[in-house]
Amino acid sequence: MTGGEPVSESEKLALRESERRYRRFFEEDISGDFLATPGGSILECNPAYARMLGFDSVAEARSCPLQALHPEPGEQERLVELLRRERKLLGIGAELRRRDGTPLHVIMNVVGIFDARDELVEIQGYLVDVTQHKQVEEQLRHSQKMEAVGRLAGGIAHDFNNFLTVIQGNVEMALADLPASAPLREDLEEIKSASGRAAALVRQLLTFSRRNAAQPKVVLDLRGEIANLDKMLRRLIGEHIELVTRCEPGLGHVRADAGQIEQVIVNLVVNARDAMPDGGRLVIEACNRTLAEAEVRYANHLRPGRYVEIRITDSGCGMDEETLSRIFEPFFTTKEKGKGTGLGLPTAYGIIKQSGGYLWAESAPGRGSTFRIYLPIVEGSASSAQVGAASGAAHPGSETILVVEDEDAVRSLARRALERSGYHVLDASDGGEAMRISEDHEGTIHLLLTDLTLCKLNGRELAQRAAALRPGMKVLYTSGYADEMAASDNAARPPAFLQKPFTPEQLTTRVREVLSRSLLTP
């Protein structure tokens, strides 16, 4: 077509069809497309742009200047200056703000339209929403950080378990040698108590790093457990919060690990405290409940029957439906950055579920929150193990035991504890020395007591080589980590294991158990 010639009808139709196709492409494009002035006014945008930024309509989106989308003042002006120099910006990452103020992460392509005088007159932009991708990346980084912190915590806990084994063991033997009236007993009892609390802290570190031994579930009296926690919980929440505990007489017994149930209750109480920064009321109630078929439909693994229900209710700020629906998701937290891991409630949920129960939450904004724990009632008396008192009974023997431990103080303690109980003890600081003793010793070695983490030759390899020389020798492993045992154990019958820190009483008890049972293949 040359200048001055009229446009034919076919050319007009082709032009209209081209415009229609472009308009359809523009309207249906999944990226957020816009045309704007250098000053930031939106001349045109598509529905995807409006939806992406949280506007109800294209008209509403056009009324919002580009400057209002940036969280930092002057960011749009800096972008325009860069566009004037570069003329085209491709694959630029940016964080914008939606209409409701929530962050929107985008990858954008921006093209400048220049006039004959090379002045920027219009901006064409294309936005791709990568917010979900960014969240996944952040969760991955968080997960990797938690894994690294977990490994660090596990390593620290392993070292402390060795120290605590020595402290607790020597204190226990010193107490056994002192008469009841000795003035020094009170000081030693304080050391024993403090080391016990330190051991509990180490167990928490190992639980966090997933390296704690699986604790046997015993029959618990929850009424007694809650009563024992009362004083500690009052210190935990502070004087500005009123704590009320009510336990039904004749409360049923449940089968669970006492330490884990304590962890769940403490976690829920801490969350309740954080929801009441200006004070309030916290009520812990426990009662027997019989759940019918209709009441257990929301939990697939629950069955109709008799349960103990623990209700923890606070008068705090409460939660909206969206928050309530996500509280048991790993890494979800409403606390400030750095104030919470987002693992507390998921861990609590997992503990209760593993105990055959269920954890349920109810809440509304301004009406506080209630967490309900259901644990199945079992028959039988509460285990005396939860009281925590050592029997003090001796576990004597006369067998020969080869102790292999690279920590001198732990090895010395084990030797002394076993010799006090009548055993003949050989000891070695590493696997090589242990093999030489095994080869040279003329008599029977009844038991190999070895740490798993030895230099050069680890405990499991040592046990396998020693078994070739002495097929009748039994094996007892020790470690500050529990997962070292589980990671490589595929046997139907797990090897005998004693987790650090252990006391002389626990050591001699476990040794006697292993020596008294049938042959164990390492």
Side-chain angles (χ1 to χ4, degrees):
M1 182 176 66
T2 59
E5 293 183 4
V7 179
S8 68
E9 285 300 318
S10 62
E11 289 172 330
K12 289 179 181 179
L13 287 172
L15 182 60
R16 284 197 294 269
E17 179 62 22
S18 176
E19 290 175 345
R20 187 189 66 79
R21 285 198 301 268
Y22 176 78
R23 171 57 62 179
R24 182 178 178 183
F25 173 79
F26 181 76
E27 295 289 339
E28 296 180 358
D29 192 6
I30 61 173
S31 67
D33 305 341
F34 67 91
L35 184 66
T37 67
S41 298
I42 301 294
L43 301 174
E44 190 63 80
C45 67
N46 67 350
Y49 176 91
R51 286 194 303 271
M52 196 178 292
L53 288 158
F55 294 106
D56 294 330
S57 66
V58 168
E60 187 180 19
R62 283 201 301 261
S63 68
C64 179
L66 291 175
Q67 287 87 341
L69 303 179
H70 293 278
E72 296 294 330
E75 184 62 29
Q76 176 62 22
E77 287 72 17
R78 286 191 289 271
L79 190 66
V80 170
E81 285 304 312
L82 182 61
L83 184 61
R84 283 194 172 103
R85 293 196 304 269
E86 302 293 333
R87 307 182 76 84
K88 182 186 293 185
L89 304 175
L90 302 178
I92 301 296
E95 181 180 334
L96 306 178
R97 286 290 180 268
R98 294 188 178 93
R99 178 190 177 192
D100 61 2
T102 57
L104 172 69
H105 295 276
V106 297
I107 298 295
M108 61 182 178
N109 292 341
V110 183
V111 179
I113 307 298
F114 296 83
D115 62 13
R117 295 177 299 174
D118 207 31
E119 293 288 336
L120 179 65
V121 292
E122 286 183 351
I123 299 172
Q124 290 180 354
Y126 309 90
L127 308 180
V128 177
D129 184 356
V130 293
T131 303
Q132 188 173 9
H133 179 73
K134 200 78 174 177
Q135 290 171 343
V136 171
E137 282 185 343
E138 185 63 30
Q139 288 177 350
L140 179 60
R141 281 195 294 270
H142 185 75
S143 177
Q144 290 170 337
K145 181 186 75 173
M146 296 296 288
E147 179 68 22
V149 172
R151 289 178 183 173
L152 176 62
I156 293 172
H158 177 267
D159 291 339
F160 267 90
N161 272 335
N162 280 328
F163 302 149
L164 288 169
T165 298
V166 176
I167 294 170
Q168 290 181 317
N170 281 288
V171 166
E172 189 171 289
M173 286 194 289
L175 284 169
D177 290 341
L178 284 176
S181 59
L184 194 58
R185 286 193 70 88
E186 185 176 348
D187 294 335
L188 290 174
E189 290 288 358
E190 285 294 326
I191 296 173
K192 181 180 178 181
S193 176
S195 64
R197 292 194 297 272
L201 179 60
V202 170
R203 283 195 297 273
Q204 291 180 26
L205 281 173
L206 288 171
T207 298
F208 172 74
S209 64
R210 301 179 185 178
R211 290 184 161 189
N212 201 13
Q215 299 298 318
K217 292 178 172 58
V218 297
V219 178
L220 295 181
D221 172 16
L222 286 177
R223 182 183 176 90
E225 293 294 327
I226 293 172
N228 291 337
L229 284 173
D230 186 271
K231 185 180 293 185
M232 186 264 285
L233 294 179
R234 291 183 188 278
R235 290 198 302 267
L236 190 65
I237 63 177
E239 295 181 355
H240 65 301
I241 295 175
E242 178 189 4
L243 175 63
V244 178
T245 58
R246 304 190 191 106
C247 291
E248 177 181 304
L251 194 67
H253 294 161
V254 302
R255 187 175 298 279
D257 169 47
Q260 289 185 335
I261 296 300
E262 176 182 326
Q263 179 184 349
V264 170
I265 293 174
V266 169
N267 184 280
L268 295 176
V269 167
V270 168
N271 282 350
R273 178 200 65 189
D274 293 344
M276 299 182 288
D278 299 322
R281 180 180 171 90
L282 176 62
V283 180
I284 302 176
E285 301 171 281
C287 63
N288 296 325
R289 283 283 307 275
T290 299
L291 298 182
E293 181 72 37
E295 295 176 286
V296 299
R297 286 177 182 169
Y298 56 80
N300 292 334
H301 65 283
L302 280 189
R303 297 291 179 266
R306 298 173 64 235
Y307 290 81
V308 171
E309 178 188 16
I310 303 174
R311 289 191 302 274
I312 300 178
T313 303
D314 66 67
S315 60
C317 56
M319 296 175 280
D320 57 31
E321 288 187 11
E322 182 180 357
T323 301
L324 188 62
S325 68
R326 300 187 61 193
I327 57 173
F328 296 122
E329 292 180 12
F331 305 122
F332 176 76
T333 179
T334 58
K335 296 179 181 179
E336 297 176 26
K337 196 169 185 179
K339 296 290 186 181
T341 64
L343 292 172
L345 286 176
T347 300
Y349 182 88
I351 288 172
I352 297 302
K353 188 174 180 180
Q354 288 171 2
S355 300
Y358 195 72
L359 176 58
W360 184 255
E362 302 166 358
S363 187
R367 297 175 58 184
S369 302
T370 296
F371 285 83
R372 299 175 185 268
I373 301 169
Y374 296 100
L375 291 167
I377 291 176
V378 298
E379 300 300 326
S381 301
S383 171
S384 59
Q386 72 190 84
V387 178
S391 66
H395 299 276
S398 58
E399 293 91 339
T400 298
I401 300 174
L402 173 55
V403 176
V404 189
E405 168 63 60
D406 54 5
E407 286 287 337
D408 294 343
V410 177
R411 187 173 68 254
S412 173
L413 173 74
R415 169 187 272 278
R416 289 163 53 211
L418 292 169
E419 287 178 340
R420 281 189 175 206
S421 293
Y423 295 102
H424 175 58
V425 179
L426 309 170
D427 65 358
S429 60
D430 58 51
E433 184 182 358
M435 284 303 300
R436 288 192 294 273
I437 292 174
S438 182
E439 292 168 357
D440 297 341
H441 185 70
E442 295 182 357
T444 301
I445 299 178
H446 300 87
L447 175 71
L448 171 65
L449 172 65
T450 178
D451 188 80
L452 277 165
T453 52
L454 299 172
C455 295
K456 301 177 183 177
L457 189 66
N458 67 41
R460 182 174 285 277
E461 292 169 339
L462 169 62
Q464 290 171 344
R465 294 189 187 184
L469 293 174
R470 298 176 177 271
M473 183 175 63
K474 298 178 183 179
V475 180
L476 173 59
Y477 295 105
T478 69
S479 178
Y481 296 143
D483 63 348
E484 289 177 322
M485 191 74 264
S488 56
D489 174 35
N490 297 315
R493 184 178 186 183
F497 179 71
L498 177 63
Q499 186 168 8
K500 298 175 182 176
F502 53 76
T503 65
E505 165 72 13
Q506 292 167 336
L507 172 62
T508 55
T509 299
R510 194 74 176 107
V511 164
R512 189 69 263 158
E513 287 174 355
V514 175
L515 286 170
S516 298
R517 74 189 198 187
S518 59
L519 180 65
L520 179 66
T521 302

